[in-house]
């Protein structure tokens, strides 16, 4: 790899507040999945064919299920009486610690599939490692999620190969999508204090240990898809510390507005 | 009558199912293609008004249920298109007819979903009306359609329950939530009654369909069944139905209800409802936007097939 030009977020000199690292660790993975579910939800009735409407809905539901289990677990770890819905609906943009990659807009189908490939390949490695977590609840959630992520990866890889090695138009669109999303693909493997504390406690892997497998998985798919692995050194980090792109705020606005308009009610 | 026709009629008369390989009159085939395809289109267009609230569901559990429901509808669409294909047309052909405006879909989906309560009301009233019709269709003379209906009815009854449960939660909630539910029911009640189609006296396709046992119960009888079933459910919710003439008729053993605004009904059927243009253009846009994806998949499959041949 050429020398990276990483913009790694966070205003200079501002310490990042760390709540209980165990809570923060579970919460960041919950946020990844919640944001993913929301993005897939946006696709429904816009799919390129009926089968894809079903598939995208199904994948979105998997992510939503994972998010809910993790949020409920985070809420119980926190022990302040907040629920999964409180955590999803009543936190602000800066409190969300999902990866920048997954909050990027759906774009065209190639963008969604490229984003999915990058994310799914990361999650397969992550869930695998988390299945051995010293946190038994987290390990249980991960073991179930791993099966789902393998299916997601098959879906996104299959599509990227078809699109990359399909028509001239689909090839161009796929390459554009891969190039546009590439800057967000090193953040998942950049450990911060929360990750290091989690690794220390045996809660999860040091994320940097997941990178080489991710690279080989992704490179293999891009190769089969006849797409180039980007060489752009620019990298964007910041999601894990709540320094997001401008897209997240709009996603949360939609996600949260009913719950916030009528706080505390049962639905 | 030819021997074909005699055998066909004998099967119908003895309540046996017609299968795709059986001889059938052209009119029977054409009626079924239109009806099943339009049913499939309705499932698919129906994803739009509910999809409209997936990203805004008030809680994660409600979001999960709604996503699963809309996904079921896509599945029903797929299943019904397959039933259509047993009659010798392709899915692409009938979808094209929809896009050209030559095929219709259930008019109910030409109304907008304006509040979260509409997710409840659609489940309760719209799916409820659909089930009333579909339970009848499980006894339809065409085997693939009747079997599809058995399966679809099971999922639809779950949809109806989840809709009712949404409204129950609202009606047990704050005044604002209850008002949201009432407003929603006010908007959807009459269009739901219209789902059963014109009066029997004005229904053009009914008689032949009844003879062929495609349709087993008349529009007005189904509508009455639905009203009778629904009124006590509304009472339990504590909601009023927007019809001053609605009252129990001891003598008939049924609820009497007011007359439907047939002008509105025909306006919406003819394309002049509040959402007709949006629904169809949304559908066409999704299809057109996806063209390059479908082309890519076909091109890739062809490349793979060539590689296999060479190897």
């Amino acid at each position: 790899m050429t020398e990276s030009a990483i913009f790694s977020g966070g205003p200079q000199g501002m310490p990042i507040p760390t709540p209980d690292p165990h809570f923060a660790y579970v919460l960041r993975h919950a946020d990844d999945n919640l944001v993913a579910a929301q993005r897939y939800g946006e696709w429904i009735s816009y799919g390129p064919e009926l089968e894809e409407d079903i598939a995208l809905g199904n994948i979105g539901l998997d992510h939503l299920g994972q998010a809910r289990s993790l949020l409920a677990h985070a809420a119980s770890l926190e022990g302040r009486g907040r629920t999964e819905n409180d955590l999803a609906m009543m936190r602000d943009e800066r409190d969300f610690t999902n990866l920048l990659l997954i909050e990027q807009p759906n774009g065209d189908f190639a963008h969604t599939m490229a984003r999915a490939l990058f994310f799914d390949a990361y999650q397969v490695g992550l869930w695998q490692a988390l299945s051995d977590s010293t946190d038994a609840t987290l390990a249980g959630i991960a073991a179930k999620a791993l099966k789902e992520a393998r299916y997601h990866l098959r879906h996104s890889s299959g599509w990227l190969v078809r699109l990359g090695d399909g028509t001239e138009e689909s090839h161009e669109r796929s390459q554009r999508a891969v190039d546009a999303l590439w800057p967000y693909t090193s953040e998942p493997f950049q450990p911060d204090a929360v990750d290091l504390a989690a690794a220390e406690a045996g809660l999860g892997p040091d994320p940097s240990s997941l990178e080489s497998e991710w690279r080989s998985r992704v490179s293999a798919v891009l190769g089969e898809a006849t797409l180039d692995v980007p060489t752009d050194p620019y990298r964007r980090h910041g999601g894990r510390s709540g320094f997001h792109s401008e897209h997240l705020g709009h996603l949360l606005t939609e996600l949260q507005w009913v719950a916030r308009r009528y706080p505390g009610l049962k639905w | 009558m030819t021997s074909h026709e005699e055998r066909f009629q004998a099967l119908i008369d003895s309540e046996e199912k017609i299968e795709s390989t059986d001889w059938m009159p052209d009119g029977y085939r054409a009626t079924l293609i239109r009806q099943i395809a339009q049913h499939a289109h309705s499932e698919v267009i129906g994803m739009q008004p509910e999809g409209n609230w997936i990203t805004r569901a008030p809680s994660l559990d409600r979001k999960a249920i709604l996503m699963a429901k809309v996904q079921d509808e896509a599945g029903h669409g797929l299943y019904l298109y397959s039933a259509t294909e047993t009659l010798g047309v392709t899915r692409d052909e009938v979808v094209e007819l929809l896009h050209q405006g030559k095929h219709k879909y259930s008019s109910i989906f030409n109304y907008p979903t304006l509040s979260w309560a509409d997710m409840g009301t659609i489940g309760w009233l719209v799916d409820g009306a659909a089930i009333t019709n579909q339970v009848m269709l499980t006894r339809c003379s065409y085997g693939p359609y009747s079997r599809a209906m058995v399966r679809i009815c099971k999922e639809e009854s779950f949809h109806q329950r989840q809709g009712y449960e949404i409204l129950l939660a609202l009606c047990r909630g704050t005044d604002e939530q209850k008002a949201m539910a009432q407003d929603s029911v006010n908007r959807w009640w009459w269009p739901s009654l219209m789902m059963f189609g014109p009066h029997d006296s004005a229904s053009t396709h009914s008689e032949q369909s009844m003879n062929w046992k495609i349709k087993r119960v008349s529009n007005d009888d189904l509508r009455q069944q639905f009203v009778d079933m629904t009124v006590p459910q509304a009472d339990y919710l504590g909601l009023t139905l927007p019809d001053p003439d609605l009252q129990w008729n001891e003598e008939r053993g049924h609820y009497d209800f007011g007359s439907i605004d047939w002008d509105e009904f025909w306006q919406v059927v003819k394309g002049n409802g509040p959402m007709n243009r949006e629904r169809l253009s949304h559908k066409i846009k999704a299809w057109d936007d996806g063209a390059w994806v479908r082309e890519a998949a076909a091109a890739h499959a062809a490349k793979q097939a060539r590689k296999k041949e060479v190897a």
Side-chain angles (χ1 to χ4, degrees), chain B residues 289-305:
Chain B
D289 286 352
W292 69 271
V293 177
R294 297 188 301 276
E295 282 157 20
H300 181 74
K303 280 185 197 175
Q304 292 303 105

Side-chain angles (χ1 to χ4, degrees), chain B residues 17-90:
Chain B
K17 297 297 178 203
I18 306 297
E19 298 299 334
S20 61
T21 47
D22 291 332
W23 182 91
M24 61 187 83
D26 291 345
Y28 181 83
R29 185 184 300 274
T31 300
L32 279 168
I33 289 174
R34 185 178 51 83
Q35 184 172 333
I36 305 175
Q38 292 187 163
H39 193 162
H41 303 328
S42 302
E43 297 280 0
V44 172
I45 296 285
M47 294 167 70
Q48 292 181 34
E50 292 184 285
N52 185 35
W53 279 88
I54 285 179
T55 57
R56 295 180 291 169
S59 67
L60 299 187
D61 44 337
R62 291 293 181 203
K63 188 193 293 285
I65 295 168
L66 184 61
M67 271 177 101
K69 177 180 193 279
V70 176
Q71 206 199 359
D72 281 351
E73 274 145 21
H76 295 171
L78 210 52
Y79 204 54
L80 286 162
Y81 282 128
S82 301
T84 321
E85 290 188 326
T86 65
L87 292 158
V89 286
T90 65

Side-chain angles (χ1 to χ4, degrees), chain B residues 53-198:
Chain B
W53 279 88
I54 285 179
T55 57
R56 295 180 291 169
S59 67
L60 299 187
D61 44 337
R62 291 293 181 203
K63 188 193 293 285
I65 295 168
L66 184 61
M67 271 177 101
K69 177 180 193 279
V70 176
Q71 206 199 359
D72 281 351
E73 274 145 21
H76 295 171
L78 210 52
Y79 204 54
L80 286 162
Y81 282 128
S82 301
T84 321
E85 290 188 326
T86 65
L87 292 158
V89 286
T90 65
R91 196 209 306 183
D92 285 356
E93 283 169 341
V94 292
V95 167
E96 185 54 33
L97 290 170
L98 170 69
H99 291 176
Q100 290 171 358
K102 291 177 182 162
H103 265 188
K104 302 212 177 299
Y105 52 87
S106 181
S107 275
I108 193 76
F109 300 122
N110 291 317
Y111 289 85
T113 52
L114 303 177
S115 76
W116 169 251
D118 288 2
M119 298 304 99
T121 310
I122 286 183
W124 176 42
L125 295 181
V126 175
D127 292 333
I131 292 169
T132 308
N133 193 42
Q134 287 166 5
V135 165
M136 167 195 77
L137 288 170
T138 61
R139 297 189 295 122
C140 159
S141 61
Y142 187 58
Y145 193 28
S146 87
R147 289 189 291 271
M149 281 303 114
V150 171
R151 180 177 161 156
I152 288 172
C153 277
K154 283 182 193 158
E155 292 184 348
E156 290 291 350
S157 64
F158 158 73
H159 295 172
Q160 196 198 11
R161 274 208 305 278
Q162 69 84 34
Y164 194 72
E165 208 192 87
I166 288 175
L167 291 177
L168 204 54
L170 294 176
C171 290
R172 287 175 178 170
T174 62
D175 289 349
E176 248 180 333
Q177 282 175 304
K178 192 166 178 189
M180 191 192 284
Q182 183 64 61
D183 167 65
S184 175
V185 168
N186 291 349
R187 284 182 284 111
W188 291 92
W189 172 249
W190 289 106
S192 299
L193 293 189
M194 293 178 198
M195 285 176 71
F196 296 96

Side-chain angles (χ1 to χ4, degrees), chain A residues 3-26:
Chain A
E3 201 185 327
S4 297
I6 299 178
F7 190 90
S8 54
Q12 191 182 350
M14 289 299 292
I16 296 159
T18 39
D20 168 33
H22 192 167
F23 167 75
Y25 186 69
V26 174

Side-chain angles (χ1 to χ4, degrees), chain B residues 124-125 182 185-186 188-190 193 226-227 229-235 237-246 255:
Chain B
W124 176 42
L125 295 181
Q182 183 64 61
V185 168
N186 291 349
W188 291 92
W189 172 249
W190 289 106
L193 293 189
F226 174 72
V227 171
M229 175 183 84
T230 306
V231 174
Q233 295 172 350
D235 289 344
L237 289 170
L239 295 175
T240 46
L241 296 170
D243 179 358
D245 298 326
L246 189 71
Y255 282 93

